[in-house]
Amino acid sequence: MLRVGGRQPPSPRAAAEAGAACVLQFGEFSSLESSALIELAPSILSADFARLADEVTLAVEGGATLLHVDVMDGHFVPNITIGPPVVASLRKATELPLDVHLMIENPDLYIPAFADAGADWISVHQEATRHLNRSLDLVREHGCKVGVVINPATPVQTLGEVLDMVDFVLVMSVNPGFGGQKFIPGSVEKIRKLVTMRNAKGVNFRIEVDGGIALDTVGEVVRAGAEILVAGNAVFGRGNPKENAEKLLKAAHEATLQKV
Ligand code: DX5
Ligand code: ZN
């Protein structure tokens, strides 16, 4: 059983649900004050599944406030991972909000099952559904935070008509399917464009980035406007997940100070 120990906010799930600003209330994060809008969402894809609870506990101790769960179907992406039963097990094991990234075709068929299993956030690929508006509504109807995801080759402009429907936009900075891939630099400009679109439309979604986020890339995505950082390999790939998470958040914090 995962425990949210003394080094963590009393209820990270509630904190994240209420908005990242809540992070400021907790002494643990006092050194990260100006990165109050930054959250780290470790992707369990790179964790040792036989020791999943322990690995997640360490990442939480390092400052993770969300848990990113990569769902792959072998059709939309060339890899297969996990389904609702694993989400249900994670739900029992941690209080962290579960950020479920659906890399599957026909997402509408499975959104209810992931919501019932305990997903808190669900994101759907723009490329994976014919009726994006309907899919996003379905996520909302099931009581989850609504996210839309775009692949590296998908222009941000394709989201123009749904930006007022979502709580977050997830920018893929690798082609989805595998952990440990090289960051695609063009993603930085896409984050900047999303910030511009958000301002122009007066809407309020958050920007998440996923793929190749590590010490050498986190600064540029944060300076561009990314607020939720997904990291698999950089947290669980080697070394201690707690230290890895701390280092990533520290680098993100430093980048916020350089934001212009
Ligand atoms: C890729 C997944 C990512 C992946 C990130 O398809 O969506 O969440 O796990 O892994 P890293 O951080 O190793 O690039
Ligand atoms: Zn992901």
Side-chain angles (χ1 to χ4, degrees):
M1 179 77 175
L2 288 180
R3 294 192 200 289
V4 179
R7 292 183 56 77
Q8 280 304 303
S11 173
R13 187 176 184 184
E17 279 170 358
C22 291
V23 171
L24 271 179
Q25 296 173 9
F26 304 107
E28 175 68 13
F29 294 89
S30 59
S31 64
L32 301 177
E33 284 190 0
S34 63
S35 63
L37 294 175
I38 302 292
E39 288 194 80
L40 178 63
S43 163
I44 61 168
L45 190 61
S46 295
D48 177 351
F49 274 46
R51 301 180 50 248
L52 191 52
D54 293 342
E55 298 249 274
V56 171
T57 298
L58 289 169
V60 169
E61 288 176 0
T65 46
L66 279 175
L67 203 56
H68 187 81
V69 181
D70 287 308
V71 176
M72 305 183 185
D73 66 351
H75 294 277
F76 181 67
V77 290
N79 197 5
I80 298 175
T81 56
I82 61 168
V86 175
V87 173
S89 295
L90 279 167
R91 178 68 296 146
K92 286 185 251 169
T94 180
E95 292 184 36
L96 252 60
L98 300 177
D99 167 28
V100 174
H101 175 191
L102 296 182
M103 288 163 276
I104 61 176
E105 290 181 359
N106 300 316
D108 296 16
L109 291 181
Y110 303 98
I111 286 166
F114 281 103
D116 290 348
D120 298 281
W121 301 21
I122 294 181
S123 57
V124 177
H125 270 261
Q126 184 267 10
E127 307 87 356
T129 175
R130 190 162 291 159
H131 303 290
L132 180 59
N133 186 301
R134 176 180 289 150
S135 301
L136 298 176
D137 266 345
L138 191 61
V139 174
R140 181 81 65 202
E141 283 163 17
H142 282 80
C144 298
K145 298 271 187 212
V146 183
V148 65
V149 196
I150 44 171
N151 280 335
T154 304
V156 290
Q157 288 81 0
T158 59
L159 301 181
E161 305 307 320
V162 298
L163 289 178
D164 61 348
M165 298 179 69
V166 298
D167 297 299
F168 65 104
V169 175
L170 172 48
V171 175
M172 288 308 301
S173 41
V174 297
N175 287 296
F178 304 94
Q181 300 182 81
K182 196 170 177 318
F183 179 80
I184 296 174
S187 319
V188 176
E189 186 54 29
K190 291 174 76 175
I191 294 169
R192 281 196 207 100
K193 281 184 186 159
L194 274 170
V195 172
T196 303
M197 289 167 81
R198 182 170 62 189
N199 292 339
K201 288 180 179 288
V203 287
N204 204 21
F205 58 85
R206 297 172 72 197
I207 301 174
E208 181 174 31
V209 62
D210 181 4
I213 301 302
L215 290 177
D216 60 338
T217 53
V218 70
E220 55 187 328
V221 297
V222 166
R223 284 193 293 278
E227 298 145 328
I228 304 158
L229 310 167
V230 177
N233 197 48
V235 172
F236 296 117
R238 67 180 68 82
N240 183 315
K242 173 175 180 257
E243 287 167 16
N244 294 340
E246 282 171 349
K247 282 183 193 158
L248 264 182
L249 279 168
K250 181 169 184 285
H253 163 63
E254 285 166 2
T256 63
L257 301 177
Q258 298 159 14
K259 255 174 119 171
V260 285

